[in-house]
Amino acid sequence: MKHQTIAARAEPVTAAALAAPALSIVLPAYNEAENIPVIVGKIGEAMGGRPHEIIVVDDDSPDGTAGVTRAVAREHPHVRCIRRVGRRGLSGACVEGMMAANAPVVVIMDADMQHDETRLPVMLAEIEAGADLVIGSRYVEGVRAGGGFHKKTRAKGSELATWLANRITGRYTTDPMSGFFMLRRDVADKVAGAVSREGFKILFDIVSRYGAQLDIREVPFEFRERVAGESKLGFLVTVQFLGLLVSRYTGGLLPTQFLLFALVGTSGLVVHMASLYGLSAAGLNFTLSQTIATYIAMTTNFAFNNEVTFAHRKLVGLRFWRGLVTFYAICSIGALGNLAVAERIFELGTPVWIAGLAGAVMSALFNYAVTKLVTWRDG
């Protein structure tokens, strides 16, 4: 009943909505139940009589976003829902939405109404005029972030991220960090198999890989305050973006996910040493202190990896505790391998630091590869 009431807020279905769509609008969503009916109506108003479809890609939101979307779709057949279970991540949601699109043109935009839907016809006109990719930019023609970036620190952070991104993309756009962009379907098919499914900044990934090959144009828009729900931006997005930056800077030689795993491992070393110092100061003997500190570091590494590195496969409930046990076991094997490799290389006459580094790298690669397959496996 609640979903039916919410669905009634959207505008009545029109003949244009039943025609073959000229534009597929992909809305990645997480906890956007309140916003879906509103944005569907606003998009309808913005598109006028132009046929379009709306694809909501929901990452199994606990607030019932999928149910609300389906309730809306019963009254508005141009609306569809893809509910993703067991996987998360904005980039992955965008790719799945693009691949499910029926129209010759696809647009990615937020479901929280921070992106200006009235710019959709303008962006579509640019595509029809020959553009491959049209970006809704917060920084073109004097436009700035607007209400959605009311905090100065956040605005400055966004500008810094944009500056860093442009060092890699080659300045093909003023706003490579935008989450509001439109592209031809054939371009979407081309980039889908190459971009990272993890993380949040899919446009940066696309432009950094294909910027020189695409006719890229920009349309200014003002970033709004979100209407309901909570922002998805934060520490997780920042860390994942920095990992993606380094990965793209190395030409993809170092995968983003491995870089995040290594970063977490480095933080674990700090945790280990702090724990060892504290336990030793409390009067425990070295062997016991070292053992406890090792498992404290493993536990924090597991928790951080679960939240950051493998956020799209995040383990919860009983699966969290099962995952922790497998993580202990795998990292213990990796530690033994570390010792074996380091000792063998040292016996060959190499300096201590080289032998130690080789063992550490081997251990990190082993732990990453095996925990990815066992601890955070799909399904």
Side-chain angles (χ1 to χ4, degrees):
M1 180 66 69
K2 179 182 177 181
H3 289 174
Q4 291 177 345
T5 302
I6 295 176
R9 298 181 198 166
E11 295 297 320
V13 65
T14 63
L18 297 174
L23 177 66
S24 292
I25 301 160
V26 176
L27 305 177
Y30 185 74
N31 286 344
E32 301 288 2
E34 294 183 51
N35 289 323
I36 295 300
V38 182
I39 190 62
V40 167
K42 286 184 172 293
I43 288 173
E45 293 174 3
M47 292 297 293
R50 201 71 186 270
H52 62 280
E53 67 173 355
I54 298 174
I55 303 171
V56 177
V57 186
D58 173 52
D59 280 2
D60 200 21
S61 302
D63 75 340
T65 296
V68 170
T69 303
R70 288 166 183 156
V72 171
R74 284 193 284 272
E75 301 296 328
H76 306 275
H78 66 301
V79 176
R80 289 190 284 146
C81 177
I82 298 175
R83 181 182 177 187
R84 305 202 310 163
V85 178
R87 59 195 190 279
R88 290 184 181 178
L90 182 59
S91 293
C94 292
V95 170
E96 290 192 36
M98 290 191 298
M99 294 302 93
N102 291 319
V105 182
V106 184
V107 65
I108 303 294
M109 63 185 295
D110 286 351
D112 56 18
M113 287 171 285
Q114 290 187 296
H115 295 153
D116 186 358
E117 71 286 340
T118 65
R119 308 303 285 164
L120 290 174
V122 179
M123 296 169 76
L124 185 57
E126 292 290 344
I127 292 286
E128 292 172 340
D132 299 312
L133 172 66
V134 180
I135 299 169
S137 174
R138 296 162 291 178
Y139 306 116
V140 70
E141 296 181 7
V143 173
R144 279 296 177 262
F149 278 79
H150 58 285
K151 295 182 180 180
K152 290 184 178 180
T153 54
R154 185 173 167 188
K156 290 297 182 183
S158 177
E159 291 177 4
L160 175 60
T162 297
W163 182 86
L164 289 171
N166 273 326
R167 303 281 75 73
I168 296 174
T169 61
R171 293 187 174 277
Y172 295 111
T173 168
T174 63
D175 196 358
M177 305 299 291
S178 177
F180 186 23
F181 60 94
M182 185 180 293
L183 65 171
R184 297 200 325 267
R185 176 55 193 267
D186 61 307
V187 176
D189 288 337
K190 178 179 180 179
V191 305
V195 298
S196 172
R197 299 298 183 96
E198 293 83 39
F200 291 78
K201 299 304 179 183
I202 185 173
L203 177 63
F204 164 72
D205 206 359
I206 292 172
V207 175
S208 65
R209 294 173 188 270
Y210 299 101
Q213 306 171 28
L214 301 176
D215 181 345
I216 301 175
R217 305 180 191 180
E218 296 181 316
V219 169
F221 85 102
E222 184 173 322
F223 199 68
R224 304 166 176 160
E225 287 280 4
R226 73 164 23 250
V227 174
E230 297 180 358
S231 174
K232 302 168 188 65
L233 296 175
F235 176 75
L236 172 61
V237 179
T238 302
V239 173
Q240 290 184 333
F241 168 65
L242 291 175
L244 181 59
L245 270 180
V246 176
S247 178
R248 296 307 305 138
Y249 188 75
T250 61
L253 180 63
L254 296 174
T256 304
Q257 204 171 64
F258 176 72
L259 288 168
L260 294 176
F261 190 87
L263 178 62
V264 169
T266 302
S267 72
L269 178 60
V270 176
V271 172
H272 179 96
M273 296 307 296
S275 300
L276 179 62
Y277 177 82
L279 292 166
S280 297
L284 276 68
N285 65 58
F286 176 79
T287 301
L288 183 57
S289 297
Q290 176 76 343
T291 301
I292 295 175
T294 296
Y295 279 94
I296 290 174
M298 283 186 185
T299 303
T300 59
N301 281 359
F302 172 78
F304 288 152
N305 278 313
N306 197 47
E307 291 291 336
V308 179
T309 311
F310 299 101
H312 61 299
R313 301 181 192 173
K314 184 177 178 179
L315 304 176
V316 296
L318 184 59
R319 294 180 66 226
F320 176 92
W321 298 108
R322 288 175 178 169
L324 179 58
V325 172
T326 65
F327 190 78
Y328 283 156
I330 292 165
C331 290
S332 295
I333 295 172
L336 293 174
N338 182 340
L339 291 173
V341 170
E343 287 182 358
R344 179 56 180 159
I345 293 179
F346 179 70
E347 289 172 356
L348 296 176
T350 58
V352 172
W353 71 270
I354 294 180
L357 179 61
V361 170
M362 185 289 304
S363 179
L365 290 171
F366 173 84
N367 291 343
Y368 169 69
V370 180
T371 56
K372 182 177 180 180
L373 291 174
V374 178
T375 305
W376 286 283
R377 66 183 182 276
D378 285 321

